[in-house]
Amino acid sequence: MPPPVASEPVTPSPAQPSPTMTATPVPDAELPLSFPVPGPLLEHADVVVAELHRVAAGLPALKLDLTTTQTTLEVLLPNAQVVSYRWFEDEIARVESDIQYLEQTTFDPADFPLGSAARMFDVADLRGVRGELVLQVVEYREGQVLMTITSRPESTTVFFRPDGTAVAELGYTSVADLTAGLDEVIGASTEAYAVGFNATRGYWVDLPGQEPGVTVNRSRLAGLPMFETRRGETPALETFDPQLIEPAILAMVIADAQVDPSEACDVVIDRSTGRSDAVVRVDCEGEARYFDLLGRDMTGLVNP
């Protein structure tokens, strides 16, 4: 497989240290605080959020909401209580919070490219997000803090990488999409139990974990970022080197296996057939074909 050429996977923001007992937000008696900006909020989002975080004494953040007219920052106090500060119409005030601290991963708003908020809103609009657009930074799942733009009422969600670029919607037949999807889940791994992809599950790989008896699964579905999970089991499969997978060859064998280009195919690459190397199983709507990693048809050898 060629080296990654698409884009790096979304990675979780590192957990921030617990708030110290010396961190004290601006007293409520001094709020609301005037903080005008010379233009639309989205063009000054990074400055406004930085001031919100200053008012909040730089405490670890749990959630950030940003619309075209206001932005709200939820932070964690040293006593594990959550307080919320909002900028609206050139003023910063403390507002009621509806968030409870349940050991969510915290973050520093300065780690996110809020200076590109206006461009990211444009991208979300082009990607079909309808309604009142809302940029959010929050723990999405399993300790991963992600940046998204969604809407109220919710229509669709666009995920963004740490550099402000949108996570691409990937298909499952073109060389470019296969290269991007497989690069994201395989990365530099040289051992895998199985690699696969389809329109329902997305791109996925099962890898040996560093600890005995642990399997690492990475998955990348449609416009979602890559997620990694671990489970306590060892598949009854021999491993193979996933770097030997060539996306151009996969695109070729998928086209060969399809009766019609519109057919959806499920592709799995592993050593379950008992051959000396990994075999590509291409199942297009119930008709399975088998190929080696060089693209040679092995269906007659696997199913004589």
Side-chain angles (χ1 to χ4, degrees):
M1 176 183 294
V5 296
S7 53
E8 63 184 29
V10 169
T11 53
S13 174
Q16 302 300 312
S18 298
T20 64
M21 296 304 293
T22 58
T24 305
V26 171
D28 289 351
E30 298 180 19
L31 300 175
L33 178 71
S34 177
F35 191 74
V37 294
L41 171 59
L42 293 186
E43 296 179 6
H44 305 278
D46 53 344
V47 176
V48 171
V49 172
E51 180 64 7
L52 280 173
H53 205 205
R54 185 196 70 79
V55 170
L59 289 165
L62 285 170
K63 186 181 181 185
L64 172 68
D65 282 2
L66 172 71
T67 72
T68 59
T69 59
Q70 65 182 35
T71 182
T72 304
L73 182 66
E74 314 264 2
V75 299
L76 183 64
L77 290 171
N79 63 1
Q81 297 299 304
V82 180
V83 292
S84 178
Y85 296 90
R86 177 173 297 156
W87 181 96
F88 178 64
E89 294 184 345
D90 292 336
E91 283 191 344
I92 293 175
R94 181 170 170 176
V95 294
E96 291 295 321
S97 174
D98 58 1
I99 292 181
Q100 288 186 313
Y101 178 55
L102 301 173
E103 300 187 355
Q104 303 96 312
T105 302
T106 59
F107 62 91
D108 183 343
D111 290 340
F112 295 86
L114 300 175
S116 300
R119 179 186 56 78
M120 290 189 286
F121 270 62
D122 288 342
V123 170
D125 180 72
L126 291 172
R127 293 276 288 267
V129 184
R130 297 292 178 262
E132 180 189 14
L133 271 59
V134 184
L135 183 152
Q136 291 187 335
V137 180
V138 69
E139 180 187 67
Y140 187 74
R141 79 177 183 191
E142 298 178 358
Q144 291 182 298
V145 174
L146 298 177
M147 180 170 56
T148 67
I149 292 183
T150 185
S151 62
R152 298 171 181 154
E154 186 171 347
S155 56
T156 188
T157 300
V158 178
F159 290 81
F160 288 86
R161 301 180 184 279
D163 63 359
T165 58
V167 175
E169 293 271 0
L170 296 179
Y172 303 97
T173 56
S174 75
V175 175
D177 285 342
L178 294 175
T179 299
L182 293 172
D183 280 344
E184 288 203 36
V185 295
I186 293 172
S189 302
T190 56
E191 278 191 290
Y193 294 116
V195 176
F197 52 90
N198 61 44
T200 301
R201 189 175 175 185
Y203 292 88
W204 59 271
V205 61
D206 283 338
L207 307 167
Q210 293 184 344
E211 308 86 2
V214 173
T215 296
V216 175
N217 174 264
R218 295 177 186 158
S219 62
R220 165 72 157 87
L221 175 62
L224 298 178
M226 189 271 286
F227 290 105
E228 184 175 286
T229 58
R230 288 167 169 78
R231 61 181 186 270
E233 66 175 47
T234 301
L237 292 170
E238 295 292 329
T239 61
F240 68 97
D241 184 356
Q243 301 299 326
L244 298 175
I245 299 172
E246 292 287 350
I249 291 177
L250 290 183
M252 179 187 70
V253 301
I254 290 170
D256 187 35
Q258 289 175 315
V259 175
D260 183 275
S262 65
E263 281 187 338
C265 298
D266 177 28
V267 177
V268 177
I269 307 163
D270 61 21
R271 295 183 62 185
S272 62
T273 61
R275 311 294 298 183
S276 59
D277 207 344
V279 171
V280 183
R281 180 180 185 271
V282 183
D283 186 336
C284 298
E285 300 188 1
E287 293 292 331
R289 299 269 299 280
Y290 295 84
F291 303 85
D292 67 13
L293 293 178
L294 296 177
R296 294 175 296 199
D297 195 325
M298 300 182 64
T299 306
L301 296 175
V302 173
N303 289 329

